[in-house]
C-alpha cells in the first residue's frame, strides 16, 4: 500500500472532479493538448534547415524611431504640472 494504490487514485480523481467539474477538466485537457501540439510544431520548425536563397543579413545596430541607437543614452524632456481639483461644496 502506498501512493500507487488504485484506491488512492480513485479517491483523488473523485476529489478533483468535485472541485473543478467535468467541463473545466475537459477544457483543461484540450488546452493542454493544443499547447503540446504547438510546442512540437515549433520544435520541428527550428530543426528545419534555413532556405539557402535567403541571406542572413542582420542590422549592425537597431535604431529607435527617433534615430538614436538603442545603446546610447537619451532623455525625455517634459514638465510635470499640478492639477487643481475643484473645491467640493458641502
Amino acid at each position: 500500500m502506498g501512493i500507487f494504490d488504485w484506491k488512492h487514485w480513485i479517491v483523488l480523481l473523485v476529489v478533483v472532479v468535485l472541485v473543478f467539474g467535468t467541463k473545466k477538466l475537459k477544457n483543461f485537457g484540450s488546452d493542454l493538448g493544443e499547447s503540446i501540439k504547438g510546442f512540437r510544431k515549433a520544435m520541428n520548425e527550428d530543426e528545419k534547415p534555413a532556405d539557402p536563397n535567403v541571406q542572413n543579413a542582420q542590422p549592425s545596430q537597431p535604431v529607435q524611431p527617433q534615430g538614436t541607437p538603442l545603446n546610447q543614452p537619451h532623455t525625455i524632456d517634459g514638465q510635470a504640472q499640478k492639477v487643481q481639483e475643484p473645491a467640493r461644496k458641502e
Side-chain angles (χ1 to χ4, degrees):
M1 291 231 161
I3 190 73
F4 296 110
D5 189 27
W6 65 274
K7 294 175 189 174
H8 292 145
W9 288 108
I10 296 295
V11 170
L12 184 66
L13 179 65
V14 169
V15 169
V16 168
V17 169
L18 288 175
V19 170
F20 293 107
T22 57
K23 187 174 182 180
K24 285 187 179 181
L25 290 176
K26 179 183 171 187
N27 291 341
F28 175 74
S30 62
D31 291 343
L32 181 64
E34 288 177 13
S35 64
I36 290 173
K37 285 180 185 178
F39 179 75
R40 286 182 181 170
K41 183 179 177 183
M43 291 301 291
N44 287 337
E45 288 176 356
D46 288 345
E47 292 175 1
K48 290 181 182 178
D51 189 11
N53 296 333
V54 177
Q55 296 178 354
N56 292 333
Q58 296 179 350
S60 61
Q61 198 173 34
V63 178
Q64 290 181 341
Q66 295 88 9
T68 57
L70 289 176
N71 61 354
Q72 297 295 322
H74 60 279
T75 58
I76 299 174
D77 293 330
Q79 183 177 358
Q81 298 177 353
K82 184 176 181 182
V83 177
Q84 296 287 333
E85 294 184 13
R88 294 185 184 182
K89 295 180 181 179
E90 294 184 19

